[in-house]
Amino acid sequence: MTTTPSGIPGTADDSAELLPIATGARTRAALRTLIRPDRGRATLGLGVLVGATAVGLLVQPLLGRIVDIVADGRPADALTLPVVLLLVVAVVQGVTTTLGLTQVARLGETVLARLREQFIERALQLPADRLERAGAGDLTARVTGDVARVAEAVRSALPEMARSVLAIVLTLGAMALLDVRFLLAALLAVPVQALTARWYVRRAVTVYADQRVANGAQQQQLLETIGGAVTVRGHRLEEQHTEKSAARSRRAVELTMRSVHLVLGFYARLHIAEYTGLAAVLVTGFLLVRDGSVSIGTATAAALYFHSLFGPVNAALVLLDDAQSAAAGLARLVGVTELKESAVQLPHQRSEPTAAVTVDAVSHAYGPGRTVLHKVSLTLRAGEHVALVGTSGAGKSTLARLVAGVQRPTGGTVSVAPGPSGPSVVLVTQEVHVFTGTLAEDLRLARPAATDADLRTALATVHALEWAEALPEGLATVVGEGGHRLGPARAQQLALARLVLAGPPVAVLDEATAEAGSAGARTLERSAEAALAGRTALIVAHRLTQAVAADRIVVLEAGRVVESGTHDELRTADGPYAALWHAWSGSRAAPHL
């Protein structure tokens, strides 16, 4: 949730720096890259559709042949062959069209899956501060609305567009074979259609792009208002947030209505093109039949050819609506997938050989006037456990996230010694997630190649093996959404077991035992101690018992280091830590840490 320095949500969003949107050229290039591995399937699907469409074009000449047979007064037996051929054409066209559309649909689904994977990969690697600047609504709108719009286009618009374009091209060619003058007459509709398409596209690109941004802003406002409902009510900001939500909803509705009016005007212009072309073909047929240049059956076939164009031409032009909307969504997805690698890499540099972590004059701000760390310097020696202590808002969690590489400092550097393999740093917070799947699958997120023995060892290390094996199906028990529910303490032990499996040389715990409650606090602290054994650790202490057990304690106040030393040294120094310790040990009601 985006907050102002006063902690009131929603007032910083108007200056949100949205995630990038790819240009048309970059979007087309990305699309070609996505399709390239499946060029064979694309070629096969296109070839089959061409064959199906070509076979279907035999219907009009066969109907024209029937007209000529009747007009010439020939025996009824003469109708047998063209009728049989019509049945054969229907069967062949149906089979080949099904095969072709199946190939195109599979291609589309494969490309869509590849795009989703790239999007998720990049989104997961984005620095947290970049997401905070953009706002959760922007990313949410892309991963839901934009993906859904592109998926809809892939499943319906893409196959229909491919078939329609082929039908248009081949039908016009067939009209030219009957008589080139029929083709010239049909082309009278093209200028109207071209102007209609140009008129529509020029307006639709802007409207749909603005609509997607407006939807993202609307979602962002709703997320902030609902997520910060307690704060909103506490500061009596209900009317202000209601008006903001209403204003952004009105903007989204306004753009939706603009798109509706745009589509209505689009259809009206298409009807003019249809009537113009059909009238031209019918007049041309009348004149050619009167002059004896073509038969009545040929003129009938030409008219039927043009009439058969109504469906594919209208479908192709109408699909511009879906295409423009999908293109806008695709550009927003590609904009994330093509973020420069430097934008998603962790900001860690190589630390000095004698230090596992070096924080050098680090400052960090969440926006103008919202600096939370001021030139903090800190060194963690290999194997050392350092506890961060301070009142709420001192900057402890921010420093922990910078060391973990989740966020980038706005000033200074964070250096971490590289590990032999795997991640150098792993962050465990109090907000852990239990993924849907078996307990074993959840654990293997940290090390996919881990054996069952490895999983049991990790669970045993954090004192969780007993309850894990007592689950209905042991490690095969489904947990997470819709599965066996794990309480906060057990979920935290699961996260600590993943830490053990990942095996990083440096671990950062950000109040990782805060959710345990009084009853499970000591058990969870023991689990954390066991998981951190042999590692360098930075611990944001929720309880001072964690600080007592640390090798060194660093006290933060207002984003600055004000004390550093062991528990005994700081307790006797009569400084900020001593005040916290006396309050905690005397009344057990110390300020929130």
Side-chain angles (χ1 to χ4, degrees):
M1 181 176 68
T2 304
T3 59
T4 62
S6 62
I8 303 173
T11 56
D13 178 69
D14 291 332
S15 59
E17 180 187 337
L18 297 182
L19 294 168
I21 299 175
T23 63
R26 291 305 307 153
T27 301
R28 290 189 293 272
L31 192 57
R32 288 193 296 270
T33 301
L34 289 168
I35 294 175
R36 188 172 296 123
D38 295 284
R39 285 175 296 182
R41 176 174 290 168
T43 302
L44 175 61
L46 182 61
V48 174
L49 282 179
V50 168
T53 305
V55 170
L57 293 177
L58 296 175
V59 170
Q60 288 83 356
L62 289 172
L63 291 176
R65 178 63 177 166
I66 291 174
V67 170
D68 282 337
I69 291 173
V70 174
D72 293 342
R74 298 181 189 178
D77 294 345
L79 296 174
T80 302
L81 180 59
V83 169
V84 171
L85 290 177
L86 281 173
L87 293 174
V88 172
V89 167
V91 172
V92 173
Q93 185 185 26
V95 172
T96 52
T97 298
T98 300
L99 292 175
L101 291 179
T102 299
Q103 290 299 320
V104 172
R106 285 179 178 173
L107 171 67
E109 290 293 343
T110 302
V111 171
L112 179 61
R114 196 172 290 132
L115 175 64
R116 280 173 167 162
E117 290 171 358
Q118 291 183 6
F119 179 86
I120 294 298
E121 179 184 359
R122 280 289 186 269
L124 289 175
Q125 294 175 356
L126 285 174
D129 56 342
R130 182 66 184 89
L131 289 178
E132 289 176 356
R133 293 199 306 272
D138 186 32
L139 186 63
T140 301
R142 296 186 192 221
V143 80
T144 55
D146 291 326
V147 168
R149 189 57 57 90
V150 173
E152 181 182 353
V154 165
R155 289 168 183 148
S156 57
L158 177 62
E160 186 63 29
M161 177 69 83
R163 186 171 63 171
S164 297
V165 171
L166 286 173
I168 293 168
V169 173
L170 294 179
T171 300
L172 292 176
M175 291 183 73
L177 290 177
L178 292 178
D179 192 298
V180 72
R181 286 168 286 189
F182 286 126
L183 174 61
L184 295 176
L187 292 179
L188 289 177
V190 172
V192 181
Q193 293 167 336
L195 289 174
T196 298
R198 183 171 180 267
W199 172 85
Y200 176 76
V201 170
R202 290 177 64 181
R203 289 161 175 77
V205 171
T206 303
V207 169
Y208 283 116
D210 291 345
Q211 189 177 12
R212 298 252 58 82
V213 172
N215 288 340
Q218 180 191 35
Q219 290 191 36
Q220 175 69 23
Q221 185 61 47
L222 292 174
L223 285 170
E224 291 184 347
T225 300
I226 295 172
V230 174
T231 305
V232 170
R233 287 194 295 268
H235 288 271
R236 302 292 178 87
L237 295 174
E238 294 93 339
E239 291 186 6
Q240 176 184 336
H241 275 257
T242 299
E243 178 54 35
K244 276 196 169 189
S245 299
R248 294 187 176 180
S249 296
R250 285 194 297 269
R251 175 61 176 165
V253 170
E254 174 191 341
L255 288 169
T256 299
M257 293 308 300
R258 281 177 58 186
S259 68
V260 170
H261 289 300
L262 192 63
V263 171
L264 291 176
F266 179 63
Y267 278 114
R269 287 165 172 78
L270 283 185
H271 292 323
I272 295 173
E274 291 175 357
Y275 297 144
T276 300
L278 183 58
V281 171
L282 289 174
V283 170
T284 301
F286 170 77
L287 295 174
L288 292 177
V289 170
R290 188 184 65 177
D291 294 342
S293 300
V294 297
S295 68
I296 296 177
T298 301
T300 301
L304 290 173
Y305 269 138
F306 187 81
H307 187 272
S308 71
L309 284 175
F310 284 10
V313 168
N314 287 348
L317 293 178
V318 168
L319 285 173
L320 285 174
D321 181 65
D322 292 335
Q324 293 302 319
S325 182
L330 183 61
R332 284 160 58 81
L333 296 176
V334 172
V336 174
T337 64
E338 294 204 335
L339 279 173
K340 291 183 179 180
E341 199 67 29
S342 59
V344 296
Q345 289 176 339
L346 297 180
H348 290 152
Q349 301 178 3
R350 185 180 295 270
S351 178
E352 294 297 324
T354 57
V357 177
T358 303
V359 178
D360 185 16
V362 161
S363 298
H364 192 73
Y366 289 102
R370 299 171 60 198
T371 302
V372 293
L373 291 178
H374 305 270
K375 294 187 176 181
V376 173
S377 294
L378 177 66
T379 299
L380 276 69
R381 296 182 297 275
E384 185 181 25
H385 291 183
V386 174
L388 285 180
V389 171
T391 56
S392 180
K396 306 185 298 296
S397 292
T398 298
L399 181 57
R401 288 158 70 86
L402 294 178
V403 171
V406 175
Q407 291 179 262
R408 294 171 173 275
T410 53
T413 60
V414 177
S415 306
V416 178
S421 62
S424 298
V425 186
V426 166
L427 170 68
V428 180
T429 71
Q430 67 183 41
E431 298 174 353
V432 299
H433 184 73
V434 179
F435 294 88
T436 301
T438 67
L439 182 63
E441 290 170 341
D442 207 303
L443 288 166
R444 286 194 175 97
L445 291 171
R447 196 203 306 172
T451 64
D452 285 350
D454 295 331
L455 303 185
R456 287 187 171 86
T457 299
L459 289 168
T461 300
V462 299
H463 312 291
L465 182 59
E466 183 177 350
W467 65 255
E469 291 187 329
L471 292 175
E473 297 179 51
L475 297 182
T477 302
V478 175
V479 295
E481 188 70 25
H484 187 89
R485 184 183 178 277
L486 298 181
R490 289 185 175 183
Q492 198 71 57
Q493 285 181 310
L494 180 61
L496 292 171
R498 287 199 293 254
L499 167 65
V500 173
L501 287 167
V506 179
V508 178
L509 269 57
D510 184 4
E511 298 191 352
T513 64
E515 294 296 324
S518 301
R522 185 51 192 157
T523 298
L524 202 49
E525 286 177 10
R526 287 177 55 240
S527 297
E529 290 172 7
L532 296 178
R535 310 181 202 282
T536 305
L538 181 65
I539 306 162
V540 177
H542 177 70
R543 296 177 176 83
L544 288 187
T545 50
Q546 294 174 288
V548 172
D551 299 315
R552 183 158 49 104
I553 300 169
V554 172
V555 183
L556 290 180
E557 273 192 3
R560 293 179 171 86
V561 175
V562 294
E563 282 188 308
S564 178
T566 65
H567 167 70
D568 290 336
E569 291 170 347
L570 297 182
R571 189 183 59 177
T572 58
D574 199 24
Y577 179 80
L580 288 172
W581 173 258
H582 291 314
W584 183 84
S585 60
S587 65
R588 296 297 172 103
H592 180 70
L593 301 179

